Amino acid sequence: AQSVTQLGSHVSVSEGALVLLRCNYSSSVPPYLFWYVQYPNQGLQLLLKYTSAATLVKGINGFEAEFKKSETSFHLTKPSAHMSDAAEYFCAVRNQAGTALIFGKGTTLSVSS
Amino acid sequence: EPEVTQTPSHQVTQMGQEVILRCVPISNHLYFYWYRQILGQKVEFLVSFYNNEISEKSEIFDDQFSVERPDGSNFTLKIRSTKLEDSAMYFCASILQESVEQYFGPGTRLTVT
C-alpha cells in the first residue's frame, strides 16, 4: 500500500532562512507526488506536483521540490522564508488503485522575524 | 479563475441527525472527491465519484455516508445519522482528468454536538 511520511510535525525558521520540509513516500509504482499548503481556516492549495517528468519541480511562491527515486523522497524547499509562508504543508501521493490522494500528517511551518 | 465552492462553511448538528454537505465542482471537471480532516489530523480520503457512480471509497466511507450528483452541477455528501466522531472539516475536490491535480474547495466545518 502506498503511504507518505512527513518528518517533523513542526518546523521553525527565521525570515530569510532556508525552508526544508521532508517527505518520504512508499509506492511500488512510479508515483505522482504533490505538495499542498493550507493557511489557517482555508482549504488546500496546490504548491507543486511531480508526474514523472523533470525530477526538480518548481511551484508557486518560490517553492520547489526534488524527486529522488533512490531515496524515495520528495522534499520541499524554499531558499528564503517569508513571514507569509507560515502555514501547514501536506505531502501527498496519488493512490495506485485510482486517483485519490493519500496525505501525510502535515508539517506546520513557523517563520519568525 | 474557476474554483470549487462548498456550502455551508460551518454546519452544527445534533448527534443522530442527518446532514448534507454541498459542493459545486469546477464546471468541466469529471472526477469528484470528498475528503475529511479531523482537527489536528491529516486529510483522509473518503470517496471518489465518476460517471455518476462511486469509483473508489475508503474504509471510513461506510453505510452512514452517501454521495450524489443530483443535477449535473452539485455534488453532495450525506451523513445519515451523525456521530460525535464525524466532527471534522470536509473538503470537496475535483479534477478534469486523471493526470491533472485535484482542486480543493474551502471546506465545510461540521460540528456534531
Side-chain angles (χ1 to χ4, degrees):
Chain A
Q2 292 171 300
S3 65
V4 171
T5 302
Q6 291 185 241
L7 297 174
S9 60
H10 198 167
V11 170
S12 297
V13 299
S14 299
E15 195 172 20
L18 171 72
V19 175
L20 171 61
L21 304 183
R22 300 178 187 273
C23 173
N24 288 89
Y25 69 91
S26 169
S27 177
S28 59
V29 297
Y32 286 2
L33 293 160
F34 306 83
W35 275 100
Y36 282 86
V37 61
Q38 184 182 30
Y39 298 102
N41 300 314
Q42 294 187 29
L44 298 164
Q45 180 183 7
L46 181 70
L47 276 178
L48 48 79
K49 65 181 186 290
Y50 169 77
T51 57
S52 73
T55 56
L56 182 62
V57 180
K58 294 188 183 300
I60 62 171
N61 301 337
F63 284 93
E64 61 182 37
E66 186 173 9
F67 173 71
K68 291 186 177 180
K69 183 179 178 181
S70 61
E71 299 177 6
T72 60
S73 68
F74 190 57
H75 301 332
L76 181 71
T77 61
K78 182 173 180 178
S80 177
H82 192 272
M83 297 292 286
S84 60
D85 295 326
E88 185 87 10
Y89 291 80
F90 292 95
C91 181
V93 62
R94 201 179 79 170
N95 187 332
Q96 181 179 338
T99 60
L101 296 178
I102 299 169
F103 285 86
K105 291 186 176 181
T107 298
T108 301
L109 176 65
S110 299
V111 182
S112 58
S113 56
Chain B
E1 184 177 332
E3 58 183 19
V4 176
T5 60
Q6 291 184 242
T7 54
S9 58
H10 191 185
Q11 173 94 42
V12 181
T13 190
Q14 288 190 327
M15 193 168 53
Q17 294 296 304
E18 176 184 284
V19 66
I20 297 175
L21 309 182
R22 291 183 167 78
C23 167
V24 178
I26 296 173
S27 63
N28 58 346
H29 283 194
L30 301 176
Y31 291 80
F32 314 112
Y33 305 82
W34 284 102
Y35 293 83
R36 80 172 185 190
Q37 183 183 29
I38 295 172
L39 186 63
Q41 298 186 26
K42 67 178 178 180
V43 178
E44 301 173 291
F45 165 71
L46 292 177
V47 64
S48 62
F49 193 84
Y50 171 71
N51 201 24
N52 287 318
E53 61 182 23
I54 291 174
S55 54
E56 200 179 350
K57 63 182 180 178
S58 72
E59 292 178 351
I60 302 168
F61 194 85
D62 60 22
D63 292 342
Q64 291 284 79
F65 293 91
S66 62
V67 289
E68 193 178 30
R69 190 159 160 80
D71 56 12
S73 61
N74 289 283
F75 179 52
T76 62
L77 174 70
K78 181 192 291 185
I79 308 175
R80 226 174 307 277
S81 177
T82 50
K83 297 175 279 194
L84 293 176
E85 53 264 39
D86 294 327
S87 294
M89 182 73 89
Y90 288 81
F91 293 106
C92 174
S94 67
I95 61 172
L96 176 59
Q97 58 191 26
E98 289 188 32
S99 62
V100 178
E101 66 267 19
Q102 295 185 22
Y103 291 82
F104 282 79
T108 293
R109 179 166 298 285
L110 176 65
T111 302
V112 182
T113 62

